[in-house]
Amino acid sequence: MKKKTISFVTGSRAEFGLIHSLLKEIQSEKKFKLDLAVTGMHLMREFGLTFKEISKSKIKISKKIKTISSIKKKDYIINCLSIGVKKFGDYFRKKKPSLICLPADRHEMLAPAIAAFHQNIPIAHFFGGELSNGSKDDTIRHCLTKLSNLHFVTHPEHKKRVIQLGENPKNVF
């Protein structure tokens, strides 16, 4: 039986910490092949090149996808998204994963979500339905929810919110 490739994307140390044990579990599972794409703040000098911490944790990085060199550049988020959609689109087309897993609510996750959505690759979103008052995170998180097929939430209230966004309750865990 051929292993199913599960692609995770991580863009920051904060959400990597939340998915670390899950990545270890998938990496040790015989039915699955873990594919980890690292992007965003992990690859930026001003944030400490935290991809090195991932390597030290003995989780194999499959691909580093650099979308921006500095947050000091004008329109860095727009550039990050446009470059990211192209690079992730190319990467997913080559890898042909069975599932894309996206944690959290940062703008870096929109590029792989758009690329996977338009290639009809199922998306699992983690931590949907949460709220961060006063930031753009809520809008980005809700966009990720709408692009996703499976939803893994952390609280019954978050599950209710994802369902209120129109998602099938059978796909919210």
Side-chain angles (χ1 to χ4, degrees):
M1 182 174 92
K2 186 180 177 197
K3 288 183 175 186
K4 291 191 180 285
T5 299
I6 299 178
S7 290
F8 269 81
V9 179
T10 179
S12 76
R13 182 177 17 193
E15 37 88 336
F16 176 75
L18 297 172
I19 62 172
H20 177 263
S21 59
L22 178 58
L23 295 175
K24 286 278 207 189
E25 189 70 29
I26 292 169
Q27 188 171 259
S28 69
E29 182 61 49
K30 290 180 182 4
K31 290 187 261 184
F32 302 117
K33 179 180 188 269
L34 176 64
D35 173 70
L36 181 63
V38 175
T39 193
M41 292 171 31
H42 284 305
L43 304 177
M44 297 174 72
R45 189 168 305 286
E46 58 209 284
F47 293 104
L49 299 171
T50 55
F51 74 90
K52 294 175 183 177
E53 293 176 27
I54 296 170
S55 296
K56 286 179 188 172
S57 74
K58 296 196 172 40
I59 295 177
K60 183 182 180 287
I61 296 172
S62 305
K63 181 77 170 173
K64 295 175 192 162
I65 299 178
K66 191 165 189 166
T67 57
I68 194 76
S69 57
S70 174
I71 61 169
K72 296 174 185 164
K73 294 191 178 207
K74 185 178 181 193
D75 296 329
Y76 85 93
I77 292 177
I78 293 168
N79 292 329
C80 175
L81 291 173
S82 63
I83 293 166
V85 169
K86 171 77 171 101
K87 287 185 174 184
F88 277 102
D90 293 344
Y91 182 65
F92 294 152
R93 197 168 7 281
K94 180 181 172 192
K95 275 289 185 179
K96 297 179 180 21
S98 300
L99 180 69
I100 305 292
C101 298
L102 304 173
D105 54 14
R106 290 191 42 85
H107 67 270
E108 295 98 337
M109 295 301 123
L110 284 173
I114 291 167
F117 177 81
H118 286 289
Q119 291 182 42
N120 297 313
I121 303 169
I123 302 169
H125 180 224
F126 293 78
F127 313 114
E130 297 182 12
L131 289 179
S132 309
N133 293 326
S135 72
K136 293 183 180 183
D137 292 352
D138 290 342
T139 302
I140 293 168
R141 188 181 306 105
H142 296 335
C143 286
L144 291 168
T145 294
K146 294 306 295 179
L147 291 168
S148 298
N149 310 87
L150 300 170
H151 312 276
F152 296 93
V153 300
T154 59
H155 190 275
E157 194 64 34
H158 304 159
K159 179 177 181 174
K160 181 180 169 186
R161 198 168 290 118
V162 168
I163 293 167
Q164 285 174 332
L165 286 168
E167 299 308 304
N168 185 337
K170 293 178 182 175
N171 295 333
V172 185
F173 306 93

